[in-house]
Amino acid sequence: MKKKEDIKKVVLAYSGGLDTSIIIPWLKENYNNCEVIAACADVGQGDELDPVHDKAIKSGASKCYIMDLTEEFIKDYVWPTVKAGAVYEKKYLLGTSFARPVIAKHLVEIAKKEGADAICHGATGKGNDQVRFELGIKALAPEIQIIAPWREWNLKSRDEEIDYAAAHGIPVPVTKKKDYSMDRNLWHLSHEGSDLEDPWNEPKSEIFTVTNIPENAPDKDEYVEIEFKEGVPVAVNGKEYSPAGIVKELNAIGKRNGIGIADMVENRLVGMKDRGVYENPGGAIIYYAHNELENICLDRATYNYKELISVRYAELVYDGMWFSPLREALQAFVDETQKTVTGTVRVKLYKGNMITAGSKSPYSLYSQEYVTFGADDVYDQTDAKGFITLFGLPLAVRALMKQGKLK
């Protein structure tokens, strides 16, 4: 590991938010006036990136990369997770979690291109993102040093960060009265901190940006059709879109119908519980529709075993193990299961609710001929007697044993 005085050039994962805004001058003050290269990943944050380049330069960065990763993010990180049906602790659609590996990948590329000595991130020592960034970097470039200011500096709170920014003349997008910790990309928007730190406090309606509260949704339902090909959404209401385009379109539809609010107390990897409020209008619709399509396309054994895989997959993504051999191996299993998950699902949306309104697939395993309550020529109901006798044999033998009648 290099000494501080030997670090001459640092690539900083830069967002323009509170943490990374003050890190630029902090690095220069504490790492021998090193060169700082800001690298900002555009994963669909919207217009909040407009001032980032100029702000980074004014804060002391020598240059600022703006990386358009939105399509790659959705195609190579979100879609594989959707196919897995991975949801962390039943609610969290992993919006921040799978954005970190794609950012880490490109931070490494820039660091190698620039000949940087280190990569720096603004994740706190209490959170999950420090793990996700650093595991991604270690998996791709273990030789590059990592700097995590939150584990070094003597700033103890967001209020002290705000004071530090003011002392250095750096404008930041938060105040002491409005100091939520937020992370946004095309897939989601998360809110933590401030009044949300008390789980008894209901989220204030004004915090919602990407979606809408159900009370403000129209008093009329709306139908949406999502077409999938091998587990991946490819069209909405008959119109094909790019991966990012699919999410944008469903975000708009979900927002006006109050879809996709998840409020949860989750178990962080570092050991503590944390309260987060997530907005996922498009993602919630996609996950719901994907599951409905799997219901008619997958056999019982595969569907049930895939549910077990989904939980482990979600944990790996949440824990920053995207580039791990296990995640890649599970992906191979998931991809095999998705070869027949092709078809269309129609969903009715109404004031925060999603209701299945139809599903169809050329690979559907549903047979009206077999399941009908009417007359049929394909199922002999008398076969059920022998099946039940054999299936229930262990129960019958155990009962005989308990009655002392087993010979």
Side-chain angles (χ1 to χ4, degrees):
M1 180 178 292
K2 293 183 178 180
K3 297 179 180 179
K4 281 189 175 184
E5 57 267 24
D6 294 327
I7 293 177
K8 307 298 183 185
K9 185 182 293 189
V10 178
V11 172
L12 168 65
Y14 185 76
S15 67
L18 174 59
D19 295 332
T20 59
S21 292
I22 66 172
I23 284 176
I24 294 177
W26 182 87
L27 281 170
K28 289 183 166 294
E29 290 174 1
N30 291 272
Y31 280 82
N32 200 32
N33 199 33
C34 64
E35 180 183 357
V36 179
I37 298 170
C40 181
D42 182 355
V43 283
Q45 297 95 311
D47 56 11
E48 68 181 56
L49 292 184
D50 292 346
V52 161
H53 179 275
D54 291 346
K55 181 178 178 180
I57 300 302
K58 289 178 181 177
S59 299
S62 62
K63 63 176 69 173
C64 180
Y65 286 85
I66 306 290
M67 306 171 286
D68 184 359
L69 310 181
T70 307
E71 292 289 354
E72 179 184 354
F73 168 51
I74 301 298
K75 177 177 177 290
D76 295 340
Y77 296 82
V78 176
W79 284 171
T81 310
V82 167
K83 290 196 292 183
V87 180
Y88 185 69
E89 297 187 341
K90 300 180 181 180
K91 284 188 175 183
Y92 177 40
L93 300 188
L94 299 164
T96 302
S97 306
F98 48 33
R100 297 319 185 217
V102 67
I103 296 172
K105 173 188 171 186
H106 287 271
L107 289 173
V108 167
E109 290 176 359
I110 291 173
K112 289 182 176 180
K113 174 184 175 182
E114 293 285 349
D117 303 299
I119 292 174
C120 179
H121 65 76
T124 76
K126 287 186 176 181
N128 299 305
D129 280 341
Q130 59 180 333
V131 181
R132 296 166 184 155
F133 277 128
E134 295 183 34
L135 292 189
I137 295 166
K138 289 178 183 297
L140 301 173
E143 72 280 3
I144 295 179
Q145 194 158 323
I146 297 170
I147 300 173
W150 266 103
R151 302 202 296 259
E152 294 185 31
W153 63 24
N154 57 6
L155 301 174
K156 303 300 182 184
S157 68
R158 289 176 68 79
D159 283 354
E160 290 186 12
E161 286 186 277
I162 292 169
D163 291 338
Y164 183 95
H168 288 75
I170 299 172
V172 291
V174 297
T175 66
K176 292 183 180 180
K177 291 184 179 180
K178 186 179 180 181
D179 63 342
Y180 293 109
S181 177
M182 301 164 64
D183 178 82
R184 182 175 182 176
N185 56 49
L186 185 59
W187 185 250
H188 92 150
L189 173 60
S190 66
H191 309 268
E192 294 177 321
S194 192
D195 60 299
L196 297 177
E197 290 183 352
D198 183 349
W200 186 249
N201 289 335
E202 181 181 7
K204 298 173 181 176
S205 60
E206 58 264 27
I207 74 170
F208 296 107
T209 303
V210 175
T211 191
N212 197 1
I213 59 173
E215 294 91 329
N216 290 342
D219 294 327
K220 186 180 185 307
D221 56 42
E222 178 176 355
Y223 288 81
V224 60
E225 292 187 3
I226 303 103
E227 181 182 345
F228 291 83
K229 183 176 181 180
E230 296 189 2
V232 171
V234 294
V236 176
N237 292 330
K239 183 177 180 180
E240 293 187 357
Y241 294 89
S242 70
I246 290 277
V247 179
K248 288 178 182 177
E249 180 65 14
L250 288 173
N251 274 344
I253 294 171
K255 178 176 182 177
R256 63 176 170 258
N257 288 284
I259 303 295
I261 296 174
D263 184 351
M264 65 183 293
V265 174
E266 69 196 55
N267 290 294
R268 282 183 177 176
L269 174 61
V270 295
M272 67 187 72
K273 289 185 180 291
D274 172 61
R275 199 273 189 92
V277 176
Y278 301 101
E279 302 182 55
N280 269 107
I285 297 171
I286 290 169
Y287 263 82
Y288 183 90
H290 178 261
N291 182 69
E292 293 302 289
L293 189 58
E294 284 192 326
N295 281 338
I296 65 171
C297 294
L298 298 184
D299 64 278
R300 178 177 181 242
T302 302
Y303 182 89
N304 289 348
Y305 194 77
K306 184 173 176 287
E307 284 190 298
L308 301 177
I309 294 298
S310 298
V311 173
R312 187 69 184 103
Y313 192 109
E315 290 172 347
L316 289 168
V317 177
Y318 187 86
D319 292 352
M321 298 294 286
W322 182 270
F323 298 109
S324 68
L326 179 55
R327 204 281 309 172
E328 293 169 356
L330 292 183
Q331 192 68 58
F333 167 83
V334 167
D335 290 346
E336 182 65 26
T337 70
Q338 299 299 289
K339 288 181 177 179
T340 59
V341 184
T342 294
T344 302
V345 177
R346 184 170 60 240
V347 182
K348 179 165 68 174
L349 310 175
Y350 180 70
K351 287 188 172 294
N353 294 289
M354 294 180 285
I355 305 166
T356 305
S359 55
K360 60 182 180 179
S361 168
Y363 302 104
S364 174
L365 299 176
Y366 177 88
S367 171
Q368 186 175 353
E369 187 179 20
Y370 274 91
V371 80
T372 180
F373 284 100
D376 69 82
D377 298 319
V378 297
Y379 189 90
D380 186 348
Q381 296 196 32
T382 61
D383 290 341
K385 180 179 179 180
F387 164 74
I388 295 170
T389 298
L390 295 178
F391 189 64
L393 185 58
L395 299 178
V397 170
R398 182 172 182 267
L400 291 170
M401 178 273 293
K402 292 173 71 174
Q403 295 169 10
K405 297 178 181 180
L406 188 64
K407 295 181 180 179

